[in-house]
Amino acid sequence: MTYWAAHDPSSKPVAGRTAYLILHNTSEVVTPDAEGREVLRFPKGAIVFRDGRVLEVGPATELHRKHPDARPLNANGKLVTPGLVDCHTHMIFGGDRATEFQRKLAGESYASIAASGGGIASTVRATSAVKDEVLEKLLANRLERWRANGCTTVEVKSGYGLEPSREIRLLELMGGAAIRVPVRVHRTALVLHALPEKYAERRAEYVEEVRTTMLTELHRRGMAGAIDVFCDPVAFTVEECRAVLQRAVELGFPVKLHAEQMAHFGGAKLAAELGARSADHLESATEEDWKLLAEAGTVGVLLPAAALTLRQSLPDAAMIRRTGARFAIATDFNPGTAPAQSLMECGALASRLCGFTAQEILLAITWNAARALGAEAEIGHLTPGAWGDAVLWECESLEELPYWMPAVRPDTVFMRGADLALPAVERRVWP
Ligand code: NIG
Ligand code: FE
């Protein structure tokens, strides 16, 4: 059974959904095909949006002839792609961990910082100290920043609440922030992230409470589109994760895992076994793991900012190609391991660190990322019938996307075929 959130914030209506327009005079329109197999290129192409969706994409002269009544919009010789999809973020949190970053640089490990009261536990304290309305606004501002960087869909994980009632608070605030900003928000409940202090001596009891009470409550309230866990020596074991995720699957939730991050631990295999939507991180995964993901149809999600912060290496493009697995790239935006605020910048980094082509990078931040969210039927590409979520970039070719650093920025971001103004005063989103 597929699980659909009762009040899915990603399906909220936005202004301009009845627009009928033709975006023309592009340098090129590039998009994954509907199956996400290859990137289609339409040099000097045009795209027609109607009722919020893509009606047609193709040669400009032909589309002008077929759609004389569409309102023309001049792309001024720039590149058009689908809106980007950031399929892995932890963007609801208070405070920052900049001081901790310095400790890491001085040689302290992630595990030792966590053991001394830092790490996830310190962000949990900082998050619970922020008032609801302030946290909701903070998240809304971050979503605006993601939109200004070309993301039209953003996954947001809970995980800095830990105790069930605090996790539910975060998921509720996400719903509030999502209706303030014209970005599709996919809410994920990260239910096993770290053991709360008050359960220090009662680990099994905590996992059981998450497995029973918490999942039941999330299901009853329709608050999350997927369930995630942190399967790692510094977090939860394969058995603990399996117990929770199996129950989630029984309830009809799609599942995903933070897997093979700090060590090779068995999370990728578990992801394949459960038919997870994605297995994320994978810094310590083997080629065998990637093969299992390929066979299961599970997307491998690479998080270059986290790997860089923890000074880990990323997999080689040639190895992933051999396995035939689909991979996405995401920011993993979080205060501990990935203070990364531009998905395109992460793409530019992965291109250099792994050896991916511009076409692979585009797939990784559009179609494949949409698939990691189970949304590839409607977003992540600009083929007829898909939502008209698109970006007009301040550059001319696909090859430029992973090339420029800092990353190329959008000129215009379309949501459901409507040109929704980006924040005019940058200070509003770039404090
Ligand atoms: O994806 N790996 C687990 N969670 C985060 C880090 C969380 C934190 O350090 O606050 C991650 O890297
Ligand atoms: Fe993460």
Side-chain angles (χ1 to χ4, degrees):
M1 179 185 94
T2 311
Y3 170 80
W4 296 107
H7 303 287
D8 179 0
S10 71
S11 65
K12 67 185 183 285
V14 296
R17 56 187 304 184
T18 56
Y20 177 31
L21 59 88
I22 176 165
L23 181 61
H24 69 109
N25 191 27
T26 68
S27 56
E28 60 173 336
V29 179
V30 296
T31 175
D33 63 20
E35 281 75 45
R37 289 288 157 207
E38 57 181 3
V39 171
L40 310 173
R41 300 180 78 151
F42 301 93
K44 299 198 185 303
I47 177 160
V48 178
F49 297 119
R50 185 164 204 171
D51 296 332
R53 295 192 183 260
V54 176
L55 191 60
E56 257 187 277
V57 52
T61 36
E62 187 186 319
L63 295 198
H64 275 301
R65 191 171 38 75
K66 286 171 79 176
H67 300 279
D69 297 334
R71 181 164 63 85
L73 203 76
N74 193 333
N76 295 316
K78 302 270 168 55
L79 170 72
V80 178
T81 72
L84 308 187
V85 178
D86 192 349
C87 67
H88 183 142
T89 87
H90 303 250
M91 64 164 79
I92 185 159
F93 63 84
D96 66 71
R97 306 221 302 267
T99 311
E100 217 175 75
F101 179 49
Q102 295 300 309
R103 283 168 67 185
K104 259 185 221 122
L105 296 174
E108 226 179 305
S109 72
Y110 183 87
S112 116
I113 291 171
S116 72
I120 294 171
S122 79
T123 298
V124 169
R125 285 193 298 275
T127 303
S128 75
V130 181
K131 287 198 183 97
D132 285 359
E133 57 274 25
V134 177
L135 198 54
E136 186 180 305
K137 188 147 182 262
L138 185 61
L139 175 59
N141 281 344
R142 285 180 180 148
L143 291 168
E144 276 288 41
R145 183 175 294 192
W146 259 246
R147 190 167 72 94
N149 281 337
C151 293
T152 49
T153 300
V154 180
E155 187 252 23
V156 184
K157 299 178 195 297
S158 66
Y160 291 118
L162 306 186
E163 287 169 30
S165 62
R166 293 187 182 186
E167 287 293 310
I168 284 170
R169 169 195 182 228
L170 297 181
L171 291 160
E172 264 171 356
L173 294 177
M174 282 178 212
I179 47 175
R180 286 168 176 248
V181 184
V183 168
R184 296 174 197 279
V185 174
H186 282 249
R187 294 187 290 186
T188 296
L190 173 50
V191 295
L192 290 182
H193 198 194
L195 191 64
E197 271 160 44
K198 82 178 204 205
Y199 287 84
E201 307 303 322
R202 296 180 288 142
R203 189 180 175 91
E205 197 185 308
Y206 176 68
V207 174
E208 190 53 16
E209 191 176 331
V210 167
R211 194 184 75 85
T212 53
T213 323
M214 185 158 176
L215 288 184
T216 307
E217 188 65 5
L218 291 173
H219 183 250
R220 188 182 70 77
R221 295 172 64 151
M223 304 186 90
I227 302 294
D228 195 352
V229 297
F230 185 13
C231 183
D232 199 273
V234 302
F236 294 89
T237 65
V238 170
E239 291 67 34
E240 290 165 337
C241 293
R242 182 187 283 112
V244 167
L245 294 181
Q246 262 173 354
R247 177 68 189 141
V249 170
E250 278 166 25
L251 288 168
F253 284 109
V255 298
K256 45 181 63 222
L257 289 90
H258 282 67
E260 322 297 3
Q261 184 185 14
M262 309 293 176
H264 189 247
F265 199 55
K269 197 164 170 223
L270 178 61
E273 172 193 320
L274 295 170
R277 277 208 176 131
S278 69
D280 305 40
H281 277 292
L282 304 171
E283 289 87 347
S284 311
T286 61
E287 184 161 347
E288 198 47 46
D289 290 326
W290 279 95
K291 278 193 201 134
L292 293 174
L293 298 178
E295 282 161 22
T298 297
V299 178
V301 181
L302 301 177
L303 307 167
L308 276 179
T309 304
L310 298 180
R311 307 183 74 178
Q312 292 179 292
S313 50
L314 282 159
D316 187 50
M319 181 275 281
I320 298 180
R321 283 179 205 131
R322 274 200 301 275
T323 67
R326 282 191 185 277
F327 66 93
I329 294 166
T331 60
D332 192 22
F333 181 60
N334 76 72
T337 62
Q341 306 185 69
S342 162
L343 179 58
M344 190 56 88
E345 191 79 12
C346 291
L349 288 171
S351 172
R352 287 159 176 81
L353 294 167
C354 308
F356 295 128
T357 65
Q359 304 212 6
E360 287 171 323
I361 295 292
L362 184 72
L363 278 165
I365 55 180
T366 57
W367 202 99
N368 289 351
R371 167 130 185 148
L373 300 177
E376 75 279 10
E378 298 208 298
I379 59 165
H381 50 102
L382 293 171
T383 64
W387 284 119
D389 300 356
V391 178
L392 179 63
W393 295 95
E394 287 180 347
C395 71
E396 290 173 19
S397 72
L398 169 64
E399 287 73 17
E400 284 180 83
L401 288 180
Y403 171 70
W404 296 110
M405 298 183 83
V408 58
R409 300 276 302 268
D411 172 278
T412 309
V413 176
F414 297 84
M415 280 298 297
R416 299 194 185 192
D419 164 6
L420 298 184
L422 291 172
V425 183
E426 277 248 314
R427 249 177 325 158
R428 213 183 113 218
V429 292
W430 299 97

Short mmCIF file of all heavy atoms in Angstrom, two decimals, residues 97-126:
data_model
loop_
_atom_site.label_atom_id
_atom_site.label_comp_id
_atom_site.label_asym_id
_atom_site.label_seq_id
_atom_site.Cartn_x
_atom_site.Cartn_y
_atom_site.Cartn_z
N ARG A 97 27.08 25.01 14.52
CA ARG A 97 28.16 24.27 15.19
C ARG A 97 29.52 24.68 14.60
O ARG A 97 30.39 23.84 14.37
CB ARG A 97 27.89 22.76 15.11
CG ARG A 97 26.49 22.37 15.64
CD ARG A 97 26.44 21.11 16.47
NE ARG A 97 26.92 19.93 15.83
CZ ARG A 97 26.18 19.02 15.15
NH1 ARG A 97 24.87 19.21 15.02
NH2 ARG A 97 26.73 17.96 14.65
N ALA A 98 29.66 25.99 14.39
CA ALA A 98 30.89 26.49 13.78
C ALA A 98 32.10 26.23 14.69
O ALA A 98 33.20 25.93 14.20
CB ALA A 98 30.75 27.99 13.48
N THR A 99 31.90 26.32 16.00
CA THR A 99 33.02 26.08 16.92
C THR A 99 33.45 24.62 16.86
O THR A 99 34.63 24.29 16.89
CB THR A 99 32.59 26.46 18.35
OG1 THR A 99 32.00 27.76 18.29
CG2 THR A 99 33.76 26.48 19.31
N GLU A 100 32.43 23.76 16.76
CA GLU A 100 32.71 22.33 16.65
C GLU A 100 33.53 22.01 15.39
O GLU A 100 34.40 21.13 15.40
CB GLU A 100 31.36 21.61 16.54
CG GLU A 100 31.32 20.32 17.25
CD GLU A 100 29.92 19.76 17.18
OE1 GLU A 100 29.52 19.27 16.11
OE2 GLU A 100 29.22 19.81 18.20
N PHE A 101 33.23 22.76 14.34
CA PHE A 101 33.96 22.56 13.08
C PHE A 101 35.45 22.83 13.32
O PHE A 101 36.31 22.10 12.83
CB PHE A 101 33.37 23.50 12.02
CG PHE A 101 34.04 23.42 10.66
CD1 PHE A 101 34.28 22.19 10.04
CD2 PHE A 101 34.44 24.57 9.99
CE1 PHE A 101 34.90 22.12 8.81
CE2 PHE A 101 35.07 24.51 8.76
CZ PHE A 101 35.29 23.28 8.16
N GLN A 102 35.74 23.85 14.10
CA GLN A 102 37.14 24.14 14.42
C GLN A 102 37.77 22.98 15.20
O GLN A 102 38.93 22.64 15.00
CB GLN A 102 37.26 25.45 15.21
CG GLN A 102 36.84 26.68 14.41
CD GLN A 102 37.68 26.87 13.15
OE1 GLN A 102 38.90 26.88 13.20
NE2 GLN A 102 37.02 27.02 12.00
N ARG A 103 36.98 22.40 16.13
CA ARG A 103 37.51 21.24 16.89
C ARG A 103 37.82 20.09 15.95
O ARG A 103 38.83 19.39 16.08
CB ARG A 103 36.49 20.79 17.94
CG ARG A 103 36.45 21.69 19.17
CD ARG A 103 35.25 21.41 20.06
NE ARG A 103 35.28 20.10 20.70
CZ ARG A 103 34.26 19.62 21.43
NH1 ARG A 103 33.16 20.34 21.61
NH2 ARG A 103 34.34 18.43 21.99
N LYS A 104 36.95 19.90 14.96
CA LYS A 104 37.18 18.83 13.98
C LYS A 104 38.47 19.08 13.23
O LYS A 104 39.28 18.18 13.01
CB LYS A 104 36.03 18.81 12.97
CG LYS A 104 35.03 17.72 13.24
CD LYS A 104 33.98 17.68 12.14
CE LYS A 104 32.62 17.44 12.73
NZ LYS A 104 31.63 18.48 12.44
N LEU A 105 38.67 20.34 12.84
CA LEU A 105 39.89 20.68 12.09
C LEU A 105 41.13 20.47 12.94
O LEU A 105 42.20 20.16 12.42
CB LEU A 105 39.82 22.13 11.59
CG LEU A 105 38.70 22.41 10.60
CD1 LEU A 105 38.63 23.89 10.27
CD2 LEU A 105 38.88 21.61 9.31
N ALA A 106 40.95 20.63 14.27
CA ALA A 106 42.09 20.44 15.17
C ALA A 106 42.35 18.95 15.43
O ALA A 106 43.24 18.60 16.21
CB ALA A 106 41.85 21.17 16.48
N GLY A 107 41.54 18.08 14.83
CA GLY A 107 41.83 16.65 14.88
C GLY A 107 40.84 15.81 15.66
O GLY A 107 40.96 14.58 15.68
N GLU A 108 39.87 16.45 16.31
CA GLU A 108 38.90 15.65 17.08
C GLU A 108 37.94 14.93 16.13
O GLU A 108 37.56 15.50 15.09
CB GLU A 108 38.12 16.59 18.02
CG GLU A 108 38.02 16.04 19.43
CD GLU A 108 37.27 17.00 20.36
OE1 GLU A 108 37.66 18.17 20.45
OE2 GLU A 108 36.29 16.54 20.96
N SER A 109 37.51 13.74 16.52
CA SER A 109 36.62 12.99 15.62
C SER A 109 35.16 13.35 15.88
O SER A 109 34.81 13.85 16.96
CB SER A 109 36.81 11.49 15.82
OG SER A 109 36.25 11.11 17.05
N TYR A 110 34.31 13.05 14.88
CA TYR A 110 32.86 13.27 14.99
C TYR A 110 32.34 12.54 16.22
O TYR A 110 31.59 13.09 17.02
CB TYR A 110 32.20 12.76 13.71
CG TYR A 110 30.70 12.96 13.62
CD1 TYR A 110 30.17 14.15 13.11
CD2 TYR A 110 29.80 11.96 14.00
CE1 TYR A 110 28.80 14.34 13.02
CE2 TYR A 110 28.44 12.14 13.91
CZ TYR A 110 27.93 13.33 13.40
OH TYR A 110 26.56 13.50 13.30
N ALA A 111 32.82 11.29 16.41
CA ALA A 111 32.33 10.47 17.53
C ALA A 111 32.76 11.05 18.88
O ALA A 111 31.98 11.07 19.83
CB ALA A 111 32.84 9.04 17.38
N SER A 112 33.99 11.56 18.97
CA SER A 112 34.44 12.09 20.27
C SER A 112 33.74 13.41 20.60
O SER A 112 33.40 13.67 21.75
CB SER A 112 35.97 12.21 20.30
OG SER A 112 36.39 13.54 20.42
N ILE A 113 33.48 14.23 19.58
CA ILE A 113 32.73 15.48 19.82
C ILE A 113 31.32 15.14 20.31
O ILE A 113 30.80 15.74 21.25
CB ILE A 113 32.69 16.35 18.54
CG1 ILE A 113 34.10 16.88 18.25
CG2 ILE A 113 31.70 17.51 18.70
CD1 ILE A 113 34.26 17.57 16.91
N ALA A 114 30.73 14.14 19.68
CA ALA A 114 29.37 13.72 20.08
C ALA A 114 29.39 13.19 21.51
O ALA A 114 28.51 13.52 22.32
CB ALA A 114 28.86 12.65 19.11
N ALA A 115 30.41 12.40 21.85
CA ALA A 115 30.48 11.80 23.19
C ALA A 115 30.66 12.86 24.28
O ALA A 115 30.27 12.65 25.43
CB ALA A 115 31.62 10.79 23.24
N SER A 116 31.20 14.03 23.92
CA SER A 116 31.40 15.09 24.93
C SER A 116 30.21 16.04 25.01
O SER A 116 30.34 17.15 25.53
CB SER A 116 32.68 15.86 24.63
OG SER A 116 32.48 16.68 23.49
N GLY A 117 29.07 15.65 24.47
CA GLY A 117 27.87 16.48 24.59
C GLY A 117 27.65 17.38 23.38
O GLY A 117 26.68 18.11 23.29
N GLY A 118 28.57 17.34 22.43
CA GLY A 118 28.40 18.13 21.21
C GLY A 118 27.61 17.31 20.20
O GLY A 118 26.81 16.46 20.57
N GLY A 119 27.82 17.58 18.94
CA GLY A 119 27.17 16.81 17.89
C GLY A 119 25.66 17.01 17.88
O GLY A 119 25.16 18.07 18.23
N ILE A 120 24.97 15.94 17.50
CA ILE A 120 23.51 16.01 17.34
C ILE A 120 22.85 16.51 18.62
O ILE A 120 21.95 17.35 18.58
CB ILE A 120 22.97 14.64 16.90
CG1 ILE A 120 23.49 14.31 15.49
CG2 ILE A 120 21.45 14.60 16.95
CD1 ILE A 120 23.22 12.90 15.01
N ALA A 121 23.34 16.04 19.79
CA ALA A 121 22.71 16.42 21.06
C ALA A 121 22.74 17.93 21.27
O ALA A 121 21.77 18.52 21.79
CB ALA A 121 23.40 15.71 22.22
N SER A 122 23.81 18.60 20.85
CA SER A 122 23.87 20.05 21.07
C SER A 122 22.87 20.76 20.15
O SER A 122 22.26 21.75 20.54
CB SER A 122 25.28 20.58 20.90
OG SER A 122 25.61 20.71 19.55
N THR A 123 22.68 20.24 18.93
CA THR A 123 21.67 20.86 18.05
C THR A 123 20.26 20.57 18.57
O THR A 123 19.36 21.40 18.42
CB THR A 123 21.86 20.38 16.59
OG1 THR A 123 23.15 20.80 16.16
CG2 THR A 123 20.81 20.96 15.67
N VAL A 124 20.06 19.42 19.19
CA VAL A 124 18.75 19.12 19.78
C VAL A 124 18.43 20.15 20.86
O VAL A 124 17.33 20.72 20.91
CB VAL A 124 18.71 17.68 20.35
CG1 VAL A 124 17.46 17.44 21.19
CG2 VAL A 124 18.79 16.67 19.21
N ARG A 125 19.42 20.46 21.70
CA ARG A 125 19.20 21.48 22.76
C ARG A 125 18.93 22.85 22.12
O ARG A 125 18.00 23.55 22.50
CB ARG A 125 20.44 21.57 23.66
CG ARG A 125 20.58 20.41 24.65
CD ARG A 125 21.64 20.70 25.72
NE ARG A 125 22.98 20.90 25.17
CZ ARG A 125 23.84 19.90 24.89
NH1 ARG A 125 23.50 18.64 25.10
NH2 ARG A 125 25.04 20.16 24.39
N ALA A 126 19.75 23.22 21.15
CA ALA A 126 19.57 24.54 20.52
C ALA A 126 18.22 24.64 19.82
O ALA A 126 17.57 25.68 19.84
CB ALA A 126 20.70 24.79 19.52
#
